[in-house]
Amino acid sequence: MKTILTLVTAALLTAAAPSFAADPQAELIQQAETAAKTWMALTDAGKYGESWERAGTFFKTGIAKNTWETGVRSLRAPLGPVKARELKSTEYATTLPGAPDGEYVVIQYETQFENKKSATETVTPMREKDGSWKVSGYFIR
């Protein structure tokens, strides 16, 4: 009887224990990753104008739409289609070199293109004033 009472007490204490919220940064990183994937799908599909339209304010003030379309087309065309993309790292930051203070997630992917077996894509979503995440930077190495 004592063993049963101990188990019931332990179960009640566990059920009554406060649940700790998930890491708030983890949730922000997830939101930023979702925004990055949506944006990269446009870029992968060659919808460069639309990718510029859906990018963040910082991105759009830094590069004109036609300059972006021409530049990314010349960068991506020789690489060919994406064959595989694997998340390599994510890092939440509030300051980045050459960018205004804000909330950023620097996301790196190990990407295999048809004509380049190994590349690192860096996509950096920034949290906009309305709370949404939009891409503010994109690089391939």
Side-chain angles (χ1 to χ4, degrees), residues 32 35-37 39-40 43 51-52 54-63 68 72 75 96-100 103-109 120-128 133-140:
K37 287 176 185 175
W39 185 86
M40 288 184 358
T43 306
S51 71
W52 186 89
R54 298 229 184 144
T57 305
F58 182 68
F59 185 101
K60 292 194 280 190
T61 58
I63 188 167
W68 165 252
V72 74
L75 175 68
L96 291 175
E103 291 183 272
Y104 298 88
V105 177
V106 179
I107 305 169
Q108 290 194 322
Y109 295 94
T120 300
E121 286 181 293
T122 303
V123 184
T124 307
M126 179 183 187
R127 194 170 195 184
E128 297 284 307
W133 287 89
K134 295 189 178 175
V135 170
S136 65
Y138 175 71
F139 307 97
I140 299 176

Side-chain angles (χ1 to χ4, degrees), residues 57-120:
T57 305
F58 182 68
F59 185 101
K60 292 194 280 190
T61 58
I63 188 167
K65 184 178 180 179
N66 63 338
T67 304
W68 165 252
E69 289 175 302
T70 302
V72 74
R73 185 175 291 113
S74 67
L75 175 68
R76 291 289 299 263
L79 300 175
V82 171
K83 294 296 183 187
R85 179 179 282 134
E86 183 177 324
L87 180 64
K88 188 174 173 182
S89 67
T90 59
E91 182 180 345
Y92 178 85
T94 55
T95 61
L96 291 175
D101 288 350
E103 291 183 272
Y104 298 88
V105 177
V106 179
I107 305 169
Q108 290 194 322
Y109 295 94
E110 186 64 36
T111 306
Q112 180 182 14
F113 294 94
E114 184 174 88
N115 302 321
K116 184 166 180 67
K117 298 299 178 205
S118 180
T120 300

